[in-house]
Amino acid sequence: MFEELNDGHVIKTMFIEHEHILCILNEIQDLGEQLSDKNKSENKNLLQQINQLSLQLISAEPHHQREEDVLFPTLETRGIIGPPQVMKQEHVVIREMKHHLKRKTKGISKNWHEQVNSISYIIIELCDTLRQHIHKENHILYPMAIRTITEDSEWDKMKIKCDEIGYCCFC
């Protein structure tokens, strides 16, 4: 469905950003599975890599802003209120998880065993939550937007607003 959209289309761009975010989640999950509470020095590099990836996820904020400030309000003016509200609430939770992971991976704490357990839990929760969120947007919300917003002129206006907000650094 998204392949048929023109390059630069609001929805196609969001879909492509989702693909990049999913790749980052895969990397975080792989590194999280390698973390061990046995050897701090060997795991220091893993911790730094996870921290860098958490920063990449945080840098996806323009993606969420464009959804919240452009796509969702446009859907709401067309009577689609529930799904955008749910997505906004999930964005709040996801933002907190990303920042929590960043804080937890900033350095090695005195209780390494507890830190590894905490990081592992955050990674599982973040990856599961964000993957489910992306799935809902890709398979429910975005197709709904394409069906509902039928005027090219409206998409053009939305694109201008999206350009003003900006895009993810990894796209």
Side-chain angles (χ1 to χ4, degrees):
M1 168 185 271
F2 304 117
E3 307 83 32
E4 300 162 7
L5 298 173
N6 293 330
D7 288 343
H9 188 283
V10 170
I11 296 295
K12 187 171 187 174
T13 301
M14 289 178 181
F15 179 79
I16 290 169
E17 288 171 338
H18 278 170
E19 290 178 331
H20 287 278
I21 292 167
L22 290 169
C23 288
I24 294 169
L25 292 178
N26 290 340
E27 286 184 63
I28 288 174
Q29 190 167 10
D30 289 345
L31 292 170
E33 290 169 2
Q34 294 174 43
L35 264 182
S36 165
D37 63 352
K38 293 184 177 106
N39 190 330
K40 287 184 192 180
S41 61
E42 289 177 18
N43 286 284
K44 187 175 184 180
N45 186 42
L46 291 174
L47 209 59
Q48 290 170 339
Q49 290 176 58
I50 294 168
N51 184 268
Q52 288 303 307
L53 290 168
S54 72
L55 291 171
Q56 286 184 37
L57 287 177
I58 290 167
S59 75
E61 184 57 28
H63 173 89
H64 300 300
Q65 283 307 131
R66 290 192 322 276
E67 288 176 334
E68 292 173 8
D69 297 348
V70 181
L71 179 62
F72 297 169
T74 304
L75 288 171
E76 288 168 348
T77 62
R78 287 166 164 71
I80 298 172
I81 296 168
Q85 287 179 349
V86 170
M87 295 297 107
K88 278 189 242 183
Q89 291 169 348
E90 289 182 6
H91 284 176
V92 172
V93 172
I94 291 165
R95 279 184 186 107
E96 179 52 39
M97 286 183 194
K98 292 188 286 190
H99 285 278
H100 193 203
L101 181 61
K102 182 190 83 163
R103 286 190 303 272
K104 282 289 187 179
T105 57
K106 207 162 192 163
I108 294 177
S109 72
K110 292 178 183 173
N111 189 339
W112 176 243
H113 177 73
E114 184 180 301
Q115 184 179 10
V116 169
N117 287 339
S118 177
I119 291 168
S120 296
Y121 176 78
I122 296 165
I123 288 172
I124 290 167
E125 287 297 305
L126 173 61
C127 289
D128 287 349
T129 302
L130 192 45
R131 282 185 181 119
Q132 288 174 17
H133 177 82
I134 287 171
H135 182 83
K136 286 185 269 189
E137 287 185 340
N138 284 352
H139 296 280
I140 299 169
L141 191 73
Y142 293 171
M144 187 183 302
I146 291 168
R147 285 190 308 271
T148 306
I149 306 166
T150 57
E151 312 86 9
D152 288 339
S153 60
E154 188 64 33
W155 286 111
D156 292 341
K157 289 180 204 169
M158 292 169 65
K159 171 81 168 95
I160 291 167
K161 290 178 186 176
C162 287
D163 289 348
E164 291 170 2
I165 292 169
Y167 297 90
C168 300
C169 65
F170 47 78
C171 286

